Amino acid sequence: MIHDNFQNIKSSIPNNVTLVAVSKFQTVEAITCLYTEGQRIFGENRPQEMVAKQALLPHDIQWHQIGHMQSNKVRMIMPFVAMIHSVDSLELLRFVGAEAVRIGRRVDVLLQVHVAREESKHGFGPEQLLQHLSQGMLDDIHGVNIVGLMAMATFTDDMAVVRAEFERVHQLYLQMQSLAAQRPAFSGDGIRWLSMGMSGDYRLAVECGSNMVRVGSLLFGA
Ligand SMILES: *Cc1c(COP(=O)(O)O)cnc(C)c1O
């Protein structure tokens, strides 16, 4: 089943879109099955679970942290995590940077932006993010490469609402790219990942400009 799900999803997204297989709650066996299919990027939302699985699975897996993280959980994943999608405050950004510096590495991070109607979703406000960037608040935070944005849409069947939110995030992504291009601290490849889209809305997200989708239940089964 995982084989078919994987092939279906892979064939429904363009080659430039990266698939993050969301493996939270999944067993090591299920992850191994997908690994055998060729998948190398896995996303977890709990640091403890990521650490436990990382120890048991092949070391060429790239682990992505996708869920909200307390700063006291940062240290346990920092030695190996490939990307953190859920950096949702300046405080956490600085904390992640300081931890990375402490162990002598740099880590790729995405800034999570809040556009959903639910108040419970974490993240920067769109205006706040543009302001931070243009005021230099995101410059020179050692230990992190800010490589893009992550967002989640409102949990609803109303695809018009979801589309409007995805389009807003894509707009913000383009604005951030052009602002970042003017700042030496962001030289190099800069802002290049837009992580949005899950099982229920990943096709729509890709239509709206996403180039990184985080798919769990559709891949592994609920
Ligand atoms: C669980 C989760 C996903 C995947 O959700 P599915 O609907 O199972 O595809 C994506 N992103 C985040 C942040 C998640 O917590």
Side-chain angles (χ1 to χ4, degrees):
M1 187 187 71
I2 287 178
H3 170 84
D4 291 347
N5 294 347
F6 180 62
Q7 297 307 327
N8 288 340
I9 293 166
K10 286 296 270 187
S11 63
S12 68
I13 56 176
N15 282 333
N16 68 310
V17 175
T18 294
L19 172 64
V20 178
V22 176
S23 51
K24 63 185 182 202
F25 313 134
Q26 302 298 334
T27 61
V28 165
E29 289 70 30
I31 297 171
T32 301
C33 175
L34 203 49
Y35 179 88
T36 309
E37 295 284 330
Q39 178 68 20
R40 290 293 179 272
I41 304 179
F42 291 87
E44 289 284 340
N45 65 350
R46 290 176 55 240
Q48 301 94 308
E49 200 174 329
M50 183 188 290
V51 169
K53 288 171 176 172
Q54 190 267 345
L56 299 172
L57 284 153
H59 288 286
D60 62 341
I61 288 182
Q62 296 162 45
W63 293 98
H64 286 205
Q65 170 67 26
I66 61 169
H68 174 69
M69 204 174 22
Q70 307 285 337
S71 53
N72 62 1
K73 300 285 162 55
V74 169
R75 189 168 286 185
M76 65 173 78
I77 61 170
M78 196 51 71
F80 65 87
V81 70
M83 189 182 284
I84 302 175
H85 292 226
S86 47
V87 174
D88 52 14
S89 69
L90 274 181
E91 201 181 11
L92 183 61
L93 180 66
R94 293 191 182 116
F95 192 88
V96 166
E99 275 303 305
V101 168
R102 195 179 63 83
I103 64 165
R105 65 167 297 201
R106 288 180 76 86
V107 62
D108 286 353
V109 302
L110 306 179
L111 302 179
Q112 184 172 349
V113 57
H114 176 106
V115 291
R117 291 177 180 177
E118 290 100 342
E119 278 179 20
S120 61
K121 297 225 163 120
H122 297 276
F124 295 90
E127 302 310 323
Q128 186 188 24
L129 212 47
L130 290 174
Q131 214 170 50
H132 285 338
L133 184 54
S134 53
Q135 292 174 351
M137 310 277 283
L138 306 179
D139 293 354
D140 302 322
I141 298 182
H142 299 295
V144 295
N145 304 316
I146 299 172
V147 295
L149 294 182
M150 185 273 246
M152 274 186 282
T154 300
F155 187 70
T156 173
D157 291 334
D158 186 346
M159 284 298 136
V161 169
V162 175
R163 179 184 286 276
E165 290 171 354
F166 283 162
E167 283 173 349
R168 176 145 189 242
V169 177
H170 183 240
Q171 204 55 45
L172 179 67
Y173 173 70
L174 298 178
Q175 283 173 295
M176 290 207 49
Q177 276 185 329
S178 57
L179 281 175
Q182 297 160 24
R183 307 201 73 85
F186 281 84
S187 62
D189 294 326
I191 307 278
R192 61 187 180 279
W193 292 112
L194 179 54
S195 167
M196 58 182 193
M198 322 199 322
S199 290
D201 55 21
Y202 77 93
R203 288 168 191 261
L204 180 55
V206 169
E207 266 181 54
C208 296
S210 168
N211 61 6
M212 189 174 272
V213 295
R214 310 176 309 270
V215 179
S217 45
L218 199 64
L219 199 46
F220 290 100

